[in-house]
Amino acid sequence: MSVVRPGELGPVEIKTWREMQRSSAHLANPFLSPEFTIAMGEVSAGARVAVITESDGPVGFFPFERHGGRVGAALGGWVSLCQGIVHRSGAEFDADALLRACGLSVWEFGCLVEGQRWFRPFETLTQQAVVLEFADGYPAFLDELRGRSPKFVKSTLYKERKLGRDVGEVTSEFAVSDPEAFRLLREWKSAQYRRMGRPDRFARPWVVELVERLHAVDTPEFAGPLSMLYVDGRPVAGHFGLRTDTAMIGWFPAYDPEYARYSPGLIQHLRMVEAAAEIGVRSLDLGISNGSEYKDALCSRTVPVSEGIVRRRSAAAAAHWLRTEPVRRARRLVLDTPALYGVADRVMKRYGRLRGGRAG
């Protein structure tokens, strides 16, 4: 096994990586693609890839990020929505031996892809991510959605028609290259984070650089499409995500609050699914529901994603446990207790409103 910087991966290794993704549908997630890993390598000095080999060549690729000393985490874990080893079908790994070979005593993950049985003993929480399936095309998807969520479809399509009557023609574009549109989407999203009392991802320069690099990629195997919804030529909602040739993942959706009564984000999602289906994409992963009504309404199926920590027996791992476990247990208690989660959510939103008021 060798550990390299993402930019040191050669053409043969990248080709093998893509073949592994194509051979296992659950590994086709864009966050597991070499393009995302290479882009992370350009914005993070700690980005690494373990190339796991046997006599006949690579059997797995393990992207990770070194956070100092012997502590590591999933690559881009603060923004990545899918993590784990991309591997040959049937391959087996030993978590302790893998970390030792990477020079790590600890590896944290937050959105582990399903089927990574070698990490299962270290999982601390498993949740369900929402997936939209449209392999049979958009009309079939919409018919299925009408049968499962008739009120949602009726309401969304009515609001789209009303938006057109009240304001102007409703149009959409799946892959927008305009940097000003991308800047506007990020402004909407940052404002949403502040309203919700959540950390603003785009306040970190490395995140802005990462998404701009990914937005510039547009190949059949991988792209970072910016989808926008317009009314009378004015942008009112958008989404920046990632796609492979068959799968897409929801990442940064946002809309102009001035048009909130029309639910432009929902309209934009349906338009985006229609356009994605036309180019051969078969599914859209919206991430963990967390009680989101629109995600639950759109959901075709769910897939498990897990978080946890692999710790080897070492002084570094023990120190990490002492430093992080109390916070982790408190967070788990809040997530597992609806009353506490509701209070925490309300407090964060109130904080967001207060902070927004001071900013204004």
Side-chain angles (χ1 to χ4, degrees), residues 35-212:
E35 288 85 357
F36 177 77
T37 300
I38 291 169
M40 273 301 307
E42 293 168 341
V43 301
S44 170
R48 298 289 187 273
V49 180
V51 182
I52 310 165
T53 58
E54 293 183 354
S55 57
D56 57 346
V59 297
F61 297 91
F62 175 55
F64 66 94
E65 197 166 358
R66 195 179 299 278
H67 283 177
R70 301 179 68 83
V71 175
L75 185 66
W78 200 51
V79 294
S80 167
L81 301 180
C82 192
Q83 303 147 11
I85 301 176
V86 178
H87 58 89
R88 181 189 297 175
S89 180
E92 292 289 341
F93 307 97
D94 178 83
D96 187 86
L98 176 62
L99 263 63
R100 185 171 61 251
C102 293
L104 299 176
S105 295
V106 177
W107 182 66
E108 298 185 66
F109 54 90
C111 293
L112 186 70
V113 67
E114 61 181 321
Q116 307 264 302
R117 53 191 173 276
W118 37 86
F119 294 133
R120 193 168 297 149
F122 308 98
E123 296 174 357
T124 58
L125 176 66
T126 299
Q127 301 181 82
Q128 298 298 315
V130 170
V131 178
L132 284 59
E133 294 279 6
F134 41 90
D136 294 328
Y138 180 72
F141 166 78
L142 194 59
D143 286 345
E144 185 270 338
L145 187 59
R146 280 196 177 97
R148 183 167 32 80
S149 303
K151 291 182 179 179
F152 172 85
V153 175
K154 182 178 180 180
S155 173
T156 303
L157 296 181
Y158 167 77
K159 289 178 179 179
E160 180 177 354
R161 292 192 298 271
K162 182 171 175 56
L163 179 61
R165 290 195 301 269
D166 293 352
V167 184
E169 182 183 9
V170 179
T171 59
S172 61
E173 189 174 349
F174 180 69
V176 178
S177 59
D178 181 11
E180 282 303 304
F182 200 15
R183 180 193 55 78
L184 180 61
L185 176 74
R186 298 199 300 269
E187 287 182 357
W188 288 339
K189 195 65 182 179
S190 291
Q192 180 188 14
Y193 285 136
R194 291 192 295 270
R195 290 194 303 271
M196 299 297 291
R198 266 57 172 186
D200 179 5
R201 298 297 195 265
F202 295 121
R204 302 287 182 91
W206 72 265
V207 176
V208 175
E209 183 180 353
L210 173 67
V211 298
E212 287 181 344

Side-chain angles (χ1 to χ4, degrees), residues 29-31 81-82 239-243 247-251 284-285:
N29 191 292
F31 283 107
L81 301 180
C82 192
H239 170 272
F240 178 70
L242 304 176
R243 68 152 182 85
M248 187 170 178
I249 192 158
W251 204 8
L284 170 62
D285 184 334

Side-chain angles (χ1 to χ4, degrees), residues 3 23 56 86-87 239 261 267 306 319 344:
V3 177
S23 66
D56 57 346
V86 178
H87 58 89
H239 170 272
R261 64 186 180 278
I267 299 169
S306 302

